[in-house]
Amino acid sequence: MSTEIRLRYCVDAANTRTRIAVIDAALPTGDDPCPSKLLDFRGSEVTAMSTPDEGYGETIFSHADANEYERLQALSDALDPVTLSVLESLPSEVGPQWLELGAGNGSVARWMAERHPSVHVTGTDRSLRFLDPRGHDNLRFLCHDVTQDSFPDGSWDLIHARYLLCHLPERDYVHSATTRWLSPGGWLVLEEPALFPLHSARDDAYRRVSLGALEVLAQRLGTDCTDCALNLPIKSASLGLADISMQVTCPTITLGTPACTFWRLTLEHLKPAIAELPYVREEEVADVIDRLSQPGFLDLGMATITVTARKPCSGEPRDGSGAEEHRNGEQR
């Protein structure tokens, strides 16, 4: 594996762009031992493309799109209550270096900086278009591609990422990298979508169009909303993390809820590609989008799986024994 130094830039609270050196580590080569898979709406297994057509944000969900900020804001409104509750439940002894990967519109990073003024928060994304640190002296945003740019091992006390790994074909590599970047005793909080409730949706057209949207993302980006989230506990344990917990949240999709707004805007963005799928008629996509904008629609949305895990301290058993003392602050 080769390594080189390349220049990126960050934006601090004074809105100053600063060039900084970031370690750029080449990805490991060879076949993926755990290829991502998804189920189509009929329950048949579909293997995600090993070489996706594009990366997230290049065309699909580009921050330059007119409705992308609104879409991300709706996602934040839907998920932030759970995210912030989980982060608030972490031990008070968590160290001061916090990292938010794939910061999106910056809502979680800003909350971190406001709620915990003594910590230093770094939010990263491939695009800084929606990220503004002004008003927070302990917050900076960094232009950073998590699949290419690295951080020194042991440099972060808390790492959070939401709806990030599912869109990365290199998700296993990134999961492993975040574990290395954690300091001993540091916490990793990962939140990823899982499509399984959509298979139980009662509205046939809504179910097919929604699962069709996820199939488009699998084909175009390599997105995995089938196994990625469900595998997080097992993969975290295999990386040596301890105190692993899992929480599942499933919203309903109905007019007036942030989850409904997020999903309607997602379907609108993917509408042409969904309509090209053999099991979805073009008029069905438009009809589902229209019904999501009307009173009376009520069905299941995607689940979000939140996994929290801790990197054991030096000399601590890898099974995490002594974790209760850690939570109570009796040891780091």
Side-chain angles (χ1 to χ4, degrees), residues 311-322:
K311 187 172 185 175
C313 298
S314 178
E316 182 181 338
R318 287 174 62 91
D319 62 4
S321 59

Side-chain angles (χ1 to χ4, degrees), residues 168-228:
L168 303 177
E170 309 91 343
R171 60 186 62 89
D172 289 341
Y173 168 79
V174 174
H175 193 173
S176 177
T178 59
T179 302
R180 296 195 307 271
W181 300 341
L182 278 176
S183 63
W187 289 85
L188 179 63
V189 180
L190 300 174
E191 301 181 276
E192 297 296 340
L195 61 73
F196 63 84
L198 292 175
H199 286 292
S200 299
R202 298 296 88 183
D203 188 293
D204 178 66
Y206 165 75
R207 181 176 65 253
R208 286 185 288 108
V209 168
S210 295
L211 291 171
L214 299 178
E215 184 169 340
V216 168
L217 294 179
Q219 294 172 353
R220 296 277 294 274
L221 305 180
T223 297
D224 175 14
C225 291
T226 301
D227 292 327
C228 175

Side-chain angles (χ1 to χ4, degrees), residues 4-80:
E4 62 177 329
I5 301 296
R6 46 195 228 152
L7 293 174
R8 289 281 181 175
Y9 63 87
C10 70
V11 179
D12 60 18
N15 206 31
T16 302
R17 288 168 65 125
T18 305
R19 301 185 78 188
I20 62 173
V22 179
I23 300 173
D24 182 9
L27 295 178
T29 59
D31 295 334
D32 181 358
C34 302
S36 300
K37 293 181 173 60
L38 59 92
L39 297 178
D40 68 13
F41 82 100
R42 293 155 294 192
S44 302
E45 190 174 271
V46 178
T47 303
M49 297 175 63
S50 58
T51 305
D53 294 347
E54 59 185 278
Y56 183 99
E58 293 177 9
T59 300
I60 291 180
F61 306 141
S62 168
H63 284 192
D65 290 341
N67 294 328
E68 184 59 12
Y69 183 83
E70 182 184 359
R71 195 184 75 91
L72 291 179
Q73 185 60 53
L75 182 64
S76 294
D77 291 342
L79 299 184
D80 278 3

Side-chain angles (χ1 to χ4, degrees), residues 319-332:
D319 62 4
S321 59
E324 191 61 36
E325 290 84 352
H326 173 88
R327 288 195 179 96
N328 292 333
E330 297 177 14
Q331 62 174 305
R332 285 295 306 275

Side-chain angles (χ1 to χ4, degrees), residues 265-286:
L265 293 173
T266 298
L267 296 181
E268 287 181 356
H269 185 86
L270 300 174
K271 178 181 174 181
I274 300 172
E276 293 179 358
L277 295 172
Y279 53 84
V280 178
R281 297 191 305 275
E282 183 175 1
E283 61 270 20
E284 284 183 312
V285 185

